[in-house]
Amino acid sequence: DRTKTGMGSRRLRSMLGQPLLDRGEIMDRLDSVEALTRAPMAIRRLAEGLARVGDVERVAGRIVHGKATGGDLTQLKLSLRETEGIRDLVEADIPGLEAIARPLDPCSDLSEVIEQSIDLETGGLIKAGYSEELDQMRAAVNGARDAIAAIERDEIAATGMKSLKIGYNKVFGYYIEVSKSGRQNVPDRYVRQQTLINAERYFTPELKGIESTILAAREAAGALEKRLFEGVVEQIRCRHMRLMATAAALADLDVFRSLADVALTNNYVRPELDESSGLEILQGRHPVVEAASPDLAFVPNDCCFDDAQR
């Protein structure tokens, strides 16, 4: 197993667990592997491209079941972008794989949906500019934060305590922190909130008022962003069959590239198959024994069975 994707690894496991019985289908697989062995430079580039592809199959499944995250959509966008390069590479440099390359759909329309809505740099948040309403809510939150910073500057100037700072935690919300040595300079309008080993924490009605504004705006923005994200996921879910077809093609390509890589590395040859019940192996080697004992020279040997020896 030298696959580069989770899709390819699962596909290889499935192939081993459910071997083909039809000679024509077996020959098609062998044709694909042989086509790749004839283009060793291309399969190295193919391996690099596949290594940058995420698990499109798993992401598509999470989209269908409504469990996709922003990170999933970011990964999907990057994977679809890589798929286009993989398709072009196969079509240009690996003759004989047209049937596999054909279902490789970069889904440019889905990529465009993600590109317009999801901020790839933040790991999946709704992008600024996608929703004017969300932008306004975010601006309100940022404006309130600027107001907090202005209060901190004003309080330092009013009290003369340069070490004074305004902080936040989930339990107490926003607070004004003053060192123990500065307690004598605390104004009467400060309300004690928490005592620490080396500091005291206070709040003011003004600070709590801005805190309420920030929390309300943040909650509203979060709810709207969730609805917008679900809308983006629904647009992709309606076309998920295309993603599944692309994932299947990537998996097959990964498996055949893996088998071609192994064949080139170990100097394996393609078997000749017919409809008879005989078996003839000339100068055969045991791949598992060779892999388990790489320092020992394996002695090739013949193995022949005909109908009478079944």
Side-chain angles (χ1 to χ4, degrees), residues 59 62-63 67-77 114 123:
V59 170
R62 285 196 285 271
I63 288 172
K67 296 182 178 180
T69 65
D72 288 331
L73 297 194
T74 299
Q75 182 190 103
L76 179 60
K77 163 67 178 175
I114 298 173

Side-chain angles (χ1 to χ4, degrees), residues 23 55 73 88 97-98 105 187 210-211 232 272:
R23 179 178 178 274
D55 201 326
L73 297 194
D88 294 343
L97 291 187
E98 293 82 3
D105 182 1
I210 295 178
E211 176 185 313
V232 172
E272 297 178 10

Side-chain angles (χ1 to χ4, degrees), residues 42-288:
I43 67 171
R44 277 195 282 273
R45 290 162 54 202
L46 179 58
E48 294 170 357
L50 286 166
R52 293 189 290 268
V53 171
D55 201 326
V56 177
E57 183 180 38
R58 288 274 173 87
V59 170
R62 285 196 285 271
I63 288 172
V64 169
H65 293 97
K67 296 182 178 180
T69 65
D72 288 331
L73 297 194
T74 299
Q75 182 190 103
L76 179 60
K77 163 67 178 175
L78 299 176
S79 297
L80 292 176
R81 180 190 302 167
E82 199 65 44
T83 297
E84 184 172 8
I86 290 173
R87 183 194 60 187
D88 294 343
L89 170 65
V90 173
E91 291 179 344
D93 298 335
I94 311 178
L97 291 187
E98 293 82 3
I100 297 178
R102 198 173 299 120
L104 285 174
D105 182 1
C107 302
S108 56
D109 54 332
L110 299 186
S111 290
E112 184 65 22
V113 169
I114 298 173
E115 180 70 29
Q116 292 178 352
S117 60
I118 303 299
D119 188 344
L120 304 183
E121 299 299 324
T122 61
L125 296 177
I126 294 294
K127 180 183 290 187
Y130 182 70
S131 165
E132 183 178 355
E133 184 181 2
L134 180 60
D135 290 345
Q136 291 174 350
M137 290 180 178
R138 286 173 171 172
V141 173
N142 292 332
R145 286 173 178 165
D146 292 340
I148 294 286
I151 290 175
E152 183 179 80
R153 292 192 298 269
D154 292 344
E155 292 299 330
I156 290 174
T159 62
M161 295 183 289
K162 294 183 178 181
S163 62
L164 180 150
K165 63 180 181 181
I166 294 180
Y168 175 84
N169 65 39
K170 293 181 179 180
V171 177
F172 295 103
Y174 284 96
Y175 55 82
I176 300 172
E177 184 170 293
V178 177
S179 65
K180 286 288 181 69
S181 60
R183 283 182 300 180
Q184 65 275 14
N185 297 321
V186 172
D188 293 338
R189 55 191 174 83
Y190 280 19
V191 180
R192 181 178 280 106
Q193 186 177 55
Q194 186 182 16
T195 299
L196 305 177
I197 295 177
N198 297 315
E200 296 282 351
R201 289 178 175 174
Y202 304 84
F203 69 88
T204 65
E206 180 187 14
L207 189 59
K208 285 301 175 183
I210 295 178
E211 176 185 313
S212 298
T213 300
I214 291 177
L215 294 180
R218 185 185 296 164
E219 183 177 354
L224 176 57
E225 183 169 30
K226 183 175 183 293
R227 292 196 302 272
L228 292 171
F229 182 81
E230 290 172 349
V232 172
V233 171
E234 179 60 23
Q235 292 183 62
I236 301 172
R237 189 191 67 79
C238 293
R239 307 170 179 122
H240 82 280
M241 292 304 297
R242 291 167 57 196
L243 291 177
M244 295 302 289
T246 294
L250 287 168
D252 283 342
L253 193 57
D254 196 11
V255 168
F256 296 142
R257 185 216 56 81
S258 174
L259 296 175
D261 188 13
V262 172
L264 289 171
T265 301
N266 297 309
N267 195 30
Y268 292 162
V269 298
R270 175 175 177 166
E272 297 178 10
L273 302 180
D274 58 33
E275 298 293 347
S276 73
S277 56
L279 173 66
E280 183 179 15
I281 301 175
L282 303 179
Q283 295 294 292
R285 294 148 48 203
H286 197 301
V288 177

